[in-house]
């Protein structure tokens, strides 16, 4: 089965978590785009919908959804998003699409976080995928030097500006043996806005699209 079909199947399975009268948070990326395409079928169940990026907002609005601001709705009942990597503890690396800051805010505000991936993203140890970090532009070189001292290789994602007006460093070859500690450590560098490790707020449910079926971890 193709990767795209596995992503689509995971997105379809996530519809089962959408109960009546909920505030739904919607992530960003190709897997979530499959979910967005299916959302009109559950439109009546949604009290409000909140988006993690301008790209997702545009797609939702194209389908006639009115997108609310997080500040206007309070907490989110359910957040559904993809990931670049996930481990068996449901800790994630996110930010391949550069939307990690708003994604982390929505995950933090959510009572339940359902993550949808294809099976290529389930890994033994996080960090093979280059770790995205959002930095404020004036701190970019400073943060990059600090990370080089931690034996990571930071690569500036050129010609990319986040929805928040910031830059992304993609950290290659960083050894992440303890995701919780690494998230905390990188968060403490001045100028870092968001680290793409989601360990302090992991997913609650991981839906994995596999060759012939769907696997669900967590609850
Ligand atoms: C965007 C993200 C995405 O969830 C992640 O990059 C996965 O993307 P895709 O579903 O396209 O594989 O974190 O910032």
């Amino acid at each position: 089965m193709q990767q795209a079909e596995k992503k689509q199947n995971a997105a379809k399975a996530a519809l089962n978590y959408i109960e009546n009268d909920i505030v739904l948070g919607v992530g960003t990326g190709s897997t979530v785009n499959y979910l967005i395409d299916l959302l009109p079928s559950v439109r009546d169940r949604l009290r409000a919908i909140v988006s993690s990026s301008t790209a997702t907002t545009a797609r939702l609005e194209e389908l006639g959804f009115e997108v609310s601001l997080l500040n206007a709705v309070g907490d989110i009942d359910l957040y559904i998003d993809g990931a670049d990597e996930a481990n068996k503890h449901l800790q994630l690396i996110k930010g391949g699409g550069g939307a990690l800051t708003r994604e982390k805010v929505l995950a933090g505000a959510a009572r339940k976080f359902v993550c949808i991936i294809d099976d290529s993203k389930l890994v033994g140890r996080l960090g093979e995928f280059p770790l995205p970090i959002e930095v404020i532009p004036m701190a970019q070189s400073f943060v990059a030097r600090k990370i080089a001292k931690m034996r990571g290789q930071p690569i500036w994602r050129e010609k990319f500006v986040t929805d928040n007006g910031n830059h992304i460093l993609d950290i290659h070859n960083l050894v992440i043996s303890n995701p919780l500690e690494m998230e905390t450590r990188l968060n403490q560098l001045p100028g870092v806005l968001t680290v793409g490790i989601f360990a302090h707020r992991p997913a609650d449910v991981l839906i994995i699209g596999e060759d012939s079926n769907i696997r669900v971890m967590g609850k």
Side-chain angles (χ1 to χ4, degrees):
M1 191 183 281
Q2 299 289 316
Q3 191 185 26
E5 209 178 331
K6 294 177 185 177
K7 289 182 176 190
Q8 202 167 11
N9 288 342
K12 199 169 166 192
L15 288 182
N16 295 326
Y17 291 81
I18 301 181
E19 294 173 349
N20 274 329
D21 197 32
I22 66 159
V23 177
L24 176 70
V26 183
T28 299
S30 59
T31 316
V32 165
N33 286 343
Y34 290 119
L35 174 82
I36 293 173
D37 291 343
L38 296 168
L39 283 181
S41 66
V42 294
R43 192 186 295 268
D44 293 352
R45 297 187 210 160
L46 305 178
R47 177 152 38 96
I49 193 159
V50 179
S51 159
S52 62
S53 64
T54 52
T56 287
T57 298
R59 287 185 91 97
L60 288 167
E61 288 180 346
E62 265 171 38
L63 292 171
F65 287 100
E66 190 182 320
V67 177
S68 301
L69 295 177
L70 180 64
N71 286 329
V73 297
D75 281 347
I76 292 171
D77 296 299
L78 174 67
Y79 179 54
I80 305 177
D81 199 356
D84 300 300
E85 280 184 351
N87 68 17
K88 66 178 180 187
H89 304 294
L90 279 52
Q91 299 167 325
L92 313 170
I93 284 187
K94 290 186 47 53
L100 63 163
T101 295
R102 296 182 190 197
E103 291 174 340
K104 205 174 237 193
V105 172
L106 294 196
R111 279 184 257 284
K112 182 169 266 193
F113 175 12
V114 171
C115 182
I116 49 179
I117 58 169
D118 68 84
D119 56 3
S120 69
K121 306 223 177 132
L122 189 61
V123 297
R125 187 165 83 176
L126 298 179
E128 197 169 310
F129 187 90
L131 173 65
I133 295 189
E134 181 166 353
V135 294
I136 64 168
M138 62 78 74
Q140 180 186 318
S141 304
F142 165 72
V143 171
R145 288 196 299 279
K146 288 282 186 194
I147 286 168
K149 283 188 187 146
M150 296 165 68
R151 298 183 191 285
Q153 281 138 20
I155 308 281
W156 175 37
R157 204 181 290 182
E158 283 188 66
K159 300 194 179 93
F160 183 88
V161 177
T162 69
D163 285 349
N164 314 302
N166 294 314
H167 291 177
I168 299 279
L169 291 171
D170 292 303
I171 316 301
H172 294 249
N173 301 317
L174 191 66
V175 178
I176 307 176
S177 36
N178 185 329
L180 285 165
E181 270 177 26
M182 185 59 84
E183 185 180 1
T184 302
R185 194 169 163 201
L186 292 169
N187 266 327
Q188 283 167 352
L189 295 176
V192 169
L193 178 61
T194 304
V195 178
I197 301 174
F198 284 49
H200 287 282
R201 199 320 172 204
D204 299 305
V205 176
L206 189 61
I207 302 179
I208 307 155
E210 296 182 331
D211 261 331
S212 53
N213 63 320
I214 290 292
R215 181 146 59 109
V216 178
M217 292 167 71
K219 60 182 177 171

